Amino acid sequence: MVGYSAILLSLLVTIIGGFSYFNLHVNAASSSAKKEKNGKFTLKCYRLSTLFAGLAAGYLFYLILDNRFDYSYVFNYSSRSLAFAYKISAFWAGQQGSFMLWLLFHVGFGLFLSQKKETPAGVMVVHSVVQAMLLIALLVKSPFMLMSPAQTEGIGLNPLLQDFWMTIHPPIIFLGYAGLAVPFAYALEGLFSHKHKDWIKPALPWALFSWCALGAGVFIGAF
């Protein structure tokens, strides 16, 4: 229950942090002292949500490397005879693991944004909403479902995925997916704040980065 609990706690803290960011956005004209106090609390919330998300991802890695075939996800995508490199890629071989990888990149980008003082609170509100949706998806379709009865050996990774290029293709693709949440957040913040052009400059590097990552991922997958 460690992984499931970590996802649930990350979701709860993300929701609290999202509401706190929304409060900062609405009360942008409040006193500097109050804004600073609320800002510190909000940043702590986001860091905590990142910590719990990282804990869930780390626990899934541990289950795969420890051959815990009593977990359905590990049973379906790993085996004792699988090479170490492919055991790592088993993390994102299935849908649940892919969403976990997406979440990992998403919280990483969010943590980077939250450290920058110039990042508008409205951007973090949208980013937190997207993060909450990813966490809900992982709760509904969890990679931490137990087998009944427990198994001693797994099915293993699809032979088509046992290739060097396929080990790096999914992470690059999901890096692009996660990166696109940032210009999306800037665009919505600009729309709601009636700043229809100010958001373009900070969002453009993220859009180009995501476009390059997705393009590289598609190219590698095709190769």
Side-chain angles (χ1 to χ4, degrees), residues 28-101:
S30 59
S31 64
S32 298
K34 186 177 181 181
K35 281 176 64 177
E36 186 176 353
K37 183 180 178 181
N38 291 339
K40 286 181 178 179
F41 171 76
T42 306
L43 183 58
K44 286 180 181 179
C45 285
Y46 196 84
R47 285 175 176 172
L48 196 58
S49 71
T50 303
L51 178 66
F52 284 130
L55 177 63
Y59 188 64
L60 181 57
F61 261 124
Y62 163 75
L63 294 176
I64 293 170
L65 296 178
D66 198 43
N67 297 316
R68 292 291 301 275
F69 302 119
D70 49 330
Y71 285 83
S72 178
Y73 188 82
V74 182
F75 170 76
N76 283 307
Y77 299 105
S78 185
S79 66
R80 296 182 188 277
S81 60
L82 203 61
F84 179 75
Y86 296 137
K87 280 198 173 187
I88 292 175
S89 62
F91 181 93
W92 51 78
Q95 187 183 57
Q96 301 99 315
S98 295
F99 271 89
M100 183 70 79
L101 183 66

Coordinates of all heavy atoms in Angstrom, one line a residue, residues 28-101:
A28 N -3.8 39.0 -5.5 CA -2.5 39.5 -5.9 C -2.2 40.9 -5.4 O -1.0 41.2 -5.3 CB -2.4 39.5 -7.5
A29 N -3.2 41.6 -5.0 CA -3.0 43.0 -4.6 C -2.8 43.1 -3.1 O -2.7 44.2 -2.5 CB -4.2 43.8 -5.0
S30 N -2.8 42.0 -2.4 CA -2.7 42.0 -0.9 C -1.3 42.4 -0.5 O -0.4 42.5 -1.3 CB -3.0 40.6 -0.3 OG -2.2 39.6 -0.8
S31 N -1.1 42.6 0.8 CA 0.2 43.1 1.4 C 1.3 42.1 1.1 O 1.1 40.9 1.0 CB 0.1 43.3 2.9 OG -0.1 42.1 3.5
S32 N 2.5 42.7 0.9 CA 3.7 41.9 0.6 C 4.0 40.8 1.7 O 4.4 39.7 1.3 CB 4.9 42.8 0.4 OG 4.7 43.7 -0.6
A33 N 3.8 41.2 2.9 CA 4.1 40.2 4.0 C 3.1 39.0 4.0 O 3.6 37.9 4.1 CB 3.9 40.9 5.4
K34 N 1.8 39.3 3.7 CA 0.9 38.2 3.6 C 1.1 37.4 2.4 O 1.0 36.1 2.5 CB -0.5 38.8 3.6 CG -1.7 37.8 3.6 CD -3.0 38.4 3.6 CE -4.1 37.4 3.7 NZ -5.5 38.0 3.7
K35 N 1.5 38.0 1.3 CA 1.8 37.2 0.1 C 3.0 36.3 0.3 O 3.0 35.2 -0.2 CB 2.0 38.2 -1.1 CG 0.7 38.8 -1.7 CD 1.1 39.8 -2.8 CE 1.8 39.2 -4.0 NZ 2.0 40.1 -5.0
E36 N 4.0 36.8 1.0 CA 5.2 36.1 1.2 C 4.9 34.9 2.1 O 5.4 33.7 1.8 CB 6.3 36.9 1.8 CG 7.6 36.3 2.0 CD 8.7 37.2 2.6 OE1 8.4 38.4 2.7 OE2 9.8 36.6 2.9
K37 N 4.1 35.1 3.1 CA 3.7 34.0 4.0 C 2.9 32.9 3.3 O 3.2 31.7 3.4 CB 2.9 34.5 5.2 CG 2.5 33.5 6.2 CD 1.7 34.1 7.3 CE 1.3 33.0 8.4 NZ 0.5 33.6 9.5
N38 N 1.9 33.3 2.5 CA 1.1 32.4 1.8 C 2.0 31.7 0.7 O 1.8 30.5 0.4 CB -0.1 33.1 1.1 CG -1.1 33.5 2.1 OD1 -1.1 33.0 3.3 ND2 -1.9 34.5 1.8
G39 N 2.9 32.4 0.1 CA 3.8 31.9 -1.0 C 4.6 30.8 -0.4 O 4.8 29.8 -1.1
K40 N 5.2 31.0 0.8 CA 6.0 29.9 1.4 C 5.2 28.7 1.7 O 5.7 27.5 1.5 CB 6.6 30.5 2.7 CG 7.7 31.5 2.5 CD 8.3 32.0 3.8 CE 9.5 33.0 3.6 NZ 10.0 33.5 4.8
F41 N 4.0 28.8 2.2 CA 3.1 27.7 2.5 C 2.8 26.9 1.2 O 2.9 25.7 1.1 CB 1.8 28.1 3.1 CG 0.8 27.0 3.3 CD1 0.9 26.1 4.2 CD2 -0.3 27.0 2.4 CE1 0.0 25.0 4.3 CE2 -1.2 26.0 2.5 CZ -1.1 25.0 3.5
T42 N 2.5 27.7 0.1 CA 2.1 27.1 -1.2 C 3.3 26.3 -1.7 O 3.2 25.2 -2.3 CB 1.7 28.2 -2.2 OG1 0.7 28.9 -1.5 CG2 1.2 27.6 -3.4
L43 N 4.5 26.9 -1.7 CA 5.7 26.2 -2.2 C 6.0 25.0 -1.4 O 6.4 23.9 -2.0 CB 6.9 27.2 -2.1 CG 8.2 26.7 -2.6 CD1 8.1 26.3 -4.1 CD2 9.3 27.7 -2.4
K44 N 5.8 25.0 -0.1 CA 6.0 23.8 0.7 C 5.0 22.7 0.3 O 5.4 21.5 0.2 CB 5.8 24.1 2.2 CG 6.9 24.8 2.8 CD 6.7 25.1 4.3 CE 7.8 25.9 4.9 NZ 7.6 26.2 6.3
C45 N 3.8 23.1 0.0 CA 2.8 22.1 -0.5 C 3.2 21.4 -1.8 O 3.1 20.2 -1.9 CB 1.4 22.8 -0.7 SG 0.5 23.1 0.9
Y46 N 3.7 22.3 -2.7 CA 4.1 21.7 -4.0 C 5.3 20.8 -3.9 O 5.3 19.7 -4.5 CB 4.3 22.8 -5.0 CG 4.3 22.2 -6.4 CD1 3.2 22.0 -7.1 CD2 5.5 21.8 -7.0 CE1 3.2 21.5 -8.4 CE2 5.5 21.2 -8.3 CZ 4.3 21.0 -8.9 OH 4.3 20.4 -10.2
R47 N 6.2 21.2 -3.1 CA 7.4 20.4 -2.8 C 7.0 19.0 -2.2 O 7.5 18.0 -2.6 CB 8.4 21.1 -1.9 CG 9.2 22.2 -2.6 CD 10.0 23.0 -1.6 NE 10.9 24.0 -2.2 CZ 11.6 24.9 -1.6 NH1 11.6 24.9 -0.2 NH2 12.3 25.8 -2.2
L48 N 6.0 19.1 -1.3 CA 5.6 17.9 -0.6 C 4.9 17.0 -1.6 O 5.0 15.7 -1.6 CB 4.6 18.2 0.5 CG 4.4 17.1 1.5 CD1 5.6 16.6 2.2 CD2 3.4 17.7 2.6
S49 N 4.1 17.5 -2.5 CA 3.4 16.7 -3.5 C 4.4 16.1 -4.5 O 4.2 14.9 -4.9 CB 2.4 17.6 -4.3 OG 3.1 18.5 -5.2
T50 N 5.5 16.8 -4.8 CA 6.5 16.3 -5.6 C 7.2 15.1 -4.9 O 7.6 14.1 -5.5 CB 7.6 17.4 -5.9 OG1 6.9 18.4 -6.6 CG2 8.7 16.9 -6.9
L51 N 7.5 15.3 -3.6 CA 8.1 14.2 -2.8 C 7.3 13.0 -2.8 O 7.8 11.8 -3.0 CB 8.3 14.7 -1.4 CG 8.9 13.7 -0.4 CD1 10.4 13.4 -0.8 CD2 8.9 14.3 1.0
F52 N 6.0 13.1 -2.6 CA 5.1 11.9 -2.6 C 5.1 11.2 -4.0 O 5.1 10.0 -4.1 CB 3.7 12.3 -2.1 CG 3.6 12.5 -0.6 CD1 3.0 13.6 -0.1 CD2 4.1 11.6 0.3 CE1 2.9 13.9 1.2 CE2 4.0 11.8 1.6 CZ 3.4 12.9 2.1
A53 N 5.0 12.0 -5.0 CA 5.0 11.5 -6.4 C 6.3 10.7 -6.7 O 6.3 9.6 -7.3 CB 4.8 12.6 -7.4
G54 N 7.4 11.3 -6.2 CA 8.7 10.7 -6.4 C 8.8 9.4 -5.6 O 9.4 8.4 -6.1
L55 N 8.2 9.4 -4.4 CA 8.2 8.2 -3.6 C 7.4 7.0 -4.3 O 7.9 5.9 -4.3 CB 7.6 8.5 -2.2 CG 7.4 7.3 -1.3 CD1 8.7 6.7 -0.9 CD2 6.6 7.8 0.0
A56 N 6.3 7.4 -4.9 CA 5.5 6.4 -5.6 C 6.3 5.8 -6.8 O 6.3 4.6 -7.0 CB 4.2 7.0 -6.1
A57 N 6.9 6.7 -7.5 CA 7.7 6.2 -8.7 C 8.9 5.4 -8.2 O 9.2 4.3 -8.8 CB 8.2 7.4 -9.5
G58 N 9.6 5.8 -7.2 CA 10.7 5.1 -6.7 C 10.3 3.7 -6.2 O 11.0 2.7 -6.3
Y59 N 9.1 3.6 -5.5 CA 8.6 2.3 -5.0 C 8.3 1.4 -6.2 O 8.5 0.2 -6.1 CB 7.4 2.6 -4.2 CG 6.9 1.3 -3.5 CD1 7.7 0.7 -2.5 CD2 5.6 0.8 -3.7 CE1 7.3 -0.4 -1.8 CE2 5.2 -0.4 -3.1 CZ 6.0 -1.0 -2.1 OH 5.6 -2.1 -1.5
L60 N 7.7 1.9 -7.3 CA 7.5 1.1 -8.4 C 8.8 0.5 -9.0 O 8.8 -0.7 -9.4 CB 6.7 1.9 -9.5 CG 6.3 1.1 -10.8 CD1 5.5 -0.2 -10.4 CD2 5.6 2.0 -11.8
F61 N 9.8 1.4 -9.1 CA 11.1 0.9 -9.6 C 11.6 -0.2 -8.7 O 12.1 -1.2 -9.1 CB 12.1 2.1 -9.5 CG 12.3 2.7 -10.9 CD1 12.1 4.0 -11.1 CD2 12.7 1.9 -12.0 CE1 12.4 4.6 -12.3 CE2 13.0 2.5 -13.2 CZ 12.8 3.8 -13.4
Y62 N 11.5 0.0 -7.4 CA 11.9 -1.1 -6.4 C 11.2 -2.4 -6.6 O 11.8 -3.5 -6.6 CB 11.7 -0.5 -5.0 CG 11.7 -1.6 -3.9 CD1 12.9 -2.2 -3.5 CD2 10.5 -2.1 -3.4 CE1 12.9 -3.2 -2.6 CE2 10.5 -3.1 -2.4 CZ 11.8 -3.7 -2.0 OH 11.8 -4.7 -1.1
L63 N 9.9 -2.3 -6.8 CA 9.1 -3.5 -7.0 C 9.6 -4.3 -8.3 O 9.7 -5.5 -8.3 CB 7.6 -3.2 -7.2 CG 6.9 -2.6 -5.9 CD1 5.5 -2.3 -6.2 CD2 7.0 -3.6 -4.8
I64 N 9.9 -3.6 -9.4 CA 10.3 -4.2 -10.6 C 11.7 -4.8 -10.4 O 11.9 -6.0 -10.8 CB 10.4 -3.1 -11.7 CG1 8.9 -2.7 -12.1 CG2 11.0 -3.7 -13.0 CD1 8.9 -1.5 -13.0
L65 N 12.6 -4.1 -9.8 CA 14.0 -4.6 -9.6 C 14.0 -5.7 -8.6 O 14.9 -6.6 -8.7 CB 14.9 -3.5 -9.2 CG 15.1 -2.3 -10.2 CD1 16.0 -1.2 -9.6 CD2 15.7 -2.9 -11.5
D66 N 13.1 -5.8 -7.7 CA 13.1 -6.8 -6.7 C 12.2 -8.0 -7.1 O 12.0 -8.9 -6.3 CB 12.5 -6.2 -5.4 CG 12.8 -7.1 -4.1 OD1 14.0 -7.5 -4.0 OD2 11.9 -7.3 -3.3
N67 N 11.8 -8.0 -8.3 CA 11.0 -9.1 -8.9 C 9.7 -9.4 -8.0 O 9.5 -10.6 -7.7 CB 11.8 -10.4 -9.0 CG 13.0 -10.2 -10.0 OD1 12.8 -9.7 -11.0 ND2 14.2 -10.7 -9.6
R68 N 9.0 -8.4 -7.7 CA 7.8 -8.6 -6.9 C 6.6 -8.9 -7.8 O 5.8 -8.0 -8.2 CB 7.5 -7.3 -6.1 CG 8.6 -7.0 -5.0 CD 8.4 -8.0 -3.9 NE 7.1 -8.0 -3.3 CZ 6.7 -7.2 -2.3 NH1 7.6 -6.3 -1.8 NH2 5.5 -7.2 -1.8
F69 N 6.5 -10.2 -8.2 CA 5.5 -10.6 -9.1 C 4.1 -10.8 -8.5 O 3.2 -11.2 -9.1 CB 6.0 -11.9 -9.8 CG 7.3 -11.8 -10.6 CD1 8.4 -12.5 -10.2 CD2 7.4 -10.9 -11.6 CE1 9.6 -12.4 -10.9 CE2 8.6 -10.7 -12.3 CZ 9.7 -11.5 -11.9
D70 N 4.1 -10.5 -7.2 CA 2.8 -10.4 -6.5 C 2.0 -9.2 -6.9 O 0.8 -9.0 -6.7 CB 2.9 -10.5 -5.0 CG 3.9 -9.5 -4.4 OD1 4.9 -9.2 -5.1 OD2 3.7 -9.1 -3.3
Y71 N 2.7 -8.3 -7.6 CA 2.0 -7.1 -8.2 C 1.7 -7.3 -9.7 O 2.6 -7.7 -10.4 CB 2.9 -5.8 -8.0 CG 2.9 -5.3 -6.6 CD1 3.8 -5.9 -5.6 CD2 2.1 -4.3 -6.2 CE1 3.8 -5.4 -4.3 CE2 2.1 -3.8 -4.9 CZ 2.9 -4.4 -3.9 OH 2.9 -3.9 -2.6
S72 N 0.5 -7.0 -10.1 CA 0.1 -7.3 -11.4 C 0.9 -6.6 -12.5 O 1.3 -7.2 -13.5 CB -1.4 -6.8 -11.6 OG -1.8 -7.0 -12.9
Y73 N 1.3 -5.3 -12.2 CA 2.1 -4.6 -13.2 C 3.5 -5.2 -13.4 O 3.9 -5.4 -14.6 CB 2.3 -3.1 -12.8 CG 2.9 -2.3 -13.9 CD1 2.1 -1.7 -14.9 CD2 4.3 -2.0 -13.9 CE1 2.7 -0.9 -15.9 CE2 4.8 -1.2 -14.9 CZ 4.0 -0.7 -15.9 OH 4.6 0.1 -16.9
V74 N 4.1 -5.6 -12.3 CA 5.5 -6.2 -12.4 C 5.3 -7.6 -13.1 O 6.2 -7.9 -14.0 CB 6.1 -6.4 -11.0 CG1 7.5 -7.0 -11.1 CG2 6.1 -5.1 -10.3
F75 N 4.3 -8.3 -12.8 CA 4.1 -9.7 -13.4 C 3.9 -9.5 -14.9 O 4.4 -10.4 -15.7 CB 2.8 -10.3 -12.8 CG 2.4 -11.5 -13.5 CD1 3.0 -12.7 -13.4 CD2 1.2 -11.5 -14.4 CE1 2.6 -13.9 -14.1 CE2 0.8 -12.6 -15.0 CZ 1.5 -13.8 -14.9
N76 N 3.2 -8.5 -15.4 CA 2.9 -8.4 -16.8 C 4.0 -7.9 -17.6 O 4.1 -8.1 -18.9 CB 1.7 -7.5 -17.0 CG 0.4 -8.2 -16.7 OD1 0.1 -9.2 -17.2 ND2 -0.4 -7.6 -15.8
Y77 N 5.0 -7.1 -17.0 CA 6.0 -6.5 -17.8 C 7.4 -6.8 -17.4 O 8.4 -6.2 -18.0 CB 5.8 -4.9 -17.8 CG 4.4 -4.5 -18.4 CD1 3.4 -4.1 -17.5 CD2 4.2 -4.6 -19.7 CE1 2.2 -3.8 -18.0 CE2 2.9 -4.3 -20.2 CZ 1.9 -3.9 -19.4 OH 0.7 -3.6 -19.9
S78 N 7.7 -7.7 -16.5 CA 9.0 -8.0 -16.1 C 9.2 -9.5 -15.9 O 8.1 -10.2 -15.8 CB 9.4 -7.2 -14.8 OG 10.8 -7.4 -14.5
S79 N 10.4 -10.0 -15.7 CA 10.7 -11.4 -15.4 C 12.1 -11.4 -14.8 O 12.9 -10.5 -15.0 CB 10.6 -12.3 -16.7 OG 11.6 -11.9 -17.6
R80 N 12.4 -12.6 -14.2 CA 13.7 -12.7 -13.6 C 14.8 -12.7 -14.6 O 16.0 -12.3 -14.3 CB 13.7 -14.0 -12.8 CG 12.8 -14.0 -11.6 CD 12.9 -15.3 -10.7 NE 11.8 -15.3 -9.7 CZ 11.9 -14.7 -8.6 NH1 13.0 -14.0 -8.2 NH2 10.9 -14.8 -7.7
S81 N 14.6 -13.3 -15.8 CA 15.6 -13.4 -16.8 C 15.8 -12.1 -17.6 O 16.7 -12.1 -18.5 CB 15.2 -14.5 -17.8 OG 14.0 -14.2 -18.4
L82 N 15.0 -11.1 -17.4 CA 15.1 -9.9 -18.2 C 16.4 -9.1 -17.8 O 16.8 -9.0 -16.6 CB 13.9 -9.0 -17.8 CG 13.5 -7.9 -18.9 CD1 13.1 -8.6 -20.2 CD2 12.3 -7.1 -18.4
A83 N 17.1 -8.6 -18.8 CA 18.3 -7.8 -18.6 C 18.0 -6.6 -17.8 O 16.9 -6.0 -17.8 CB 18.9 -7.4 -19.9
F84 N 19.0 -6.1 -17.0 CA 18.8 -4.9 -16.1 C 18.2 -3.7 -16.9 O 17.3 -3.0 -16.4 CB 20.1 -4.6 -15.5 CG 20.0 -3.4 -14.5 CD1 19.4 -3.5 -13.3 CD2 20.5 -2.2 -14.9 CE1 19.3 -2.5 -12.4 CE2 20.4 -1.1 -14.0 CZ 19.8 -1.2 -12.8
A85 N 18.8 -3.4 -18.1 CA 18.3 -2.2 -18.8 C 16.9 -2.3 -19.2 O 16.1 -1.3 -19.1 CB 19.2 -2.1 -20.1
Y86 N 16.4 -3.6 -19.5 CA 15.0 -3.7 -19.9 C 14.1 -3.8 -18.7 O 12.9 -3.5 -18.8 CB 14.9 -5.0 -20.7 CG 15.6 -4.9 -22.1 CD1 16.4 -6.0 -22.6 CD2 15.6 -3.7 -22.8 CE1 17.1 -5.9 -23.8 CE2 16.3 -3.6 -24.0 CZ 17.0 -4.7 -24.5 OH 17.7 -4.6 -25.7
K87 N 14.7 -4.2 -17.5 CA 13.9 -4.1 -16.3 C 13.6 -2.6 -16.0 O 12.5 -2.3 -15.5 CB 14.7 -4.7 -15.1 CG 14.6 -6.2 -15.1 CD 15.0 -6.8 -13.7 CE 14.7 -8.3 -13.6 NZ 14.9 -8.8 -12.3
I88 N 14.5 -1.7 -16.2 CA 14.3 -0.3 -16.0 C 13.2 0.2 -17.0 O 12.3 0.9 -16.6 CB 15.6 0.5 -16.2 CG1 16.6 0.2 -15.1 CG2 15.3 2.0 -16.3 CD1 17.9 0.8 -15.2
S89 N 13.3 -0.3 -18.3 CA 12.3 0.2 -19.3 C 11.0 -0.5 -19.0 O 9.9 0.0 -19.6 CB 12.8 -0.1 -20.7 OG 13.0 -1.5 -20.9
A90 N 10.9 -1.5 -18.2 CA 9.6 -2.1 -17.9 C 8.8 -1.2 -17.1 O 7.5 -1.3 -17.0 CB 9.8 -3.4 -17.1
F91 N 9.4 -0.2 -16.4 CA 8.7 0.8 -15.7 C 7.7 1.6 -16.5 O 6.6 1.8 -16.0 CB 9.8 1.9 -15.1 CG 9.2 3.0 -14.3 CD1 9.1 2.9 -12.9 CD2 8.7 4.1 -14.9 CE1 8.6 3.9 -12.2 CE2 8.2 5.2 -14.1 CZ 8.1 5.0 -12.8
W92 N 8.0 1.8 -17.8 CA 7.1 2.6 -18.7 C 6.6 1.7 -19.8 O 6.0 2.2 -20.8 CB 7.8 3.8 -19.2 CG 9.1 3.6 -19.9 CD1 9.4 3.1 -21.1 CD2 10.4 3.9 -19.3 NE1 10.7 3.0 -21.3 CE2 11.4 3.5 -20.2 CE3 10.8 4.5 -18.1 CZ2 12.7 3.7 -20.0 CZ3 12.1 4.6 -17.8 CH2 13.1 4.2 -18.8
A93 N 6.7 0.4 -19.6 CA 6.2 -0.5 -20.7 C 4.7 -0.6 -20.8 O 4.1 -0.8 -21.9 CB 6.8 -1.9 -20.5
G94 N 4.0 -0.4 -19.7 CA 2.5 -0.4 -19.7 C 1.9 0.9 -19.5 O 2.6 1.9 -19.2
Q95 N 0.6 1.0 -19.6 CA -0.1 2.3 -19.5 C 0.1 2.9 -18.1 O 0.3 4.1 -18.0 CB -1.6 2.0 -19.8 CG -2.4 3.3 -19.9 CD -3.9 3.1 -20.1 OE1 -4.5 2.4 -19.3 NE2 -4.4 3.6 -21.2
Q96 N 0.0 2.1 -17.1 CA 0.1 2.7 -15.7 C 1.5 3.3 -15.5 O 1.6 4.4 -14.9 CB -0.2 1.6 -14.7 CG -1.6 1.0 -14.8 CD -1.6 -0.3 -15.5 OE1 -1.0 -0.4 -16.5 NE2 -2.3 -1.3 -15.0
G97 N 2.5 2.5 -15.9 CA 3.8 3.0 -15.7 C 4.1 4.2 -16.6 O 4.9 5.1 -16.2
S98 N 3.5 4.3 -17.8 CA 3.7 5.5 -18.6 C 3.1 6.7 -18.0 O 3.7 7.8 -18.0 CB 3.0 5.2 -20.0 OG 3.7 4.2 -20.7
F99 N 2.0 6.5 -17.4 CA 1.4 7.7 -16.7 C 2.2 8.1 -15.4 O 2.3 9.3 -15.1 CB -0.1 7.4 -16.2 CG -1.1 7.7 -17.2 CD1 -1.5 6.8 -18.2 CD2 -1.7 9.0 -17.3 CE1 -2.4 7.1 -19.2 CE2 -2.6 9.3 -18.2 CZ -3.0 8.4 -19.2
M100 N 2.8 7.1 -14.8 CA 3.7 7.4 -13.7 C 4.9 8.2 -14.2 O 5.4 9.2 -13.5 CB 4.2 6.1 -13.0 CG 5.0 6.3 -11.8 SD 4.2 7.0 -10.4 CE 3.3 5.6 -9.7
L101 N 5.5 7.8 -15.3 CA 6.6 8.5 -15.9 C 6.2 9.9 -16.3 O 7.0 10.9 -16.0 CB 7.1 7.8 -17.1 CG 8.4 8.4 -17.8 CD1 9.6 8.3 -16.9 CD2 8.6 7.6 -19.1

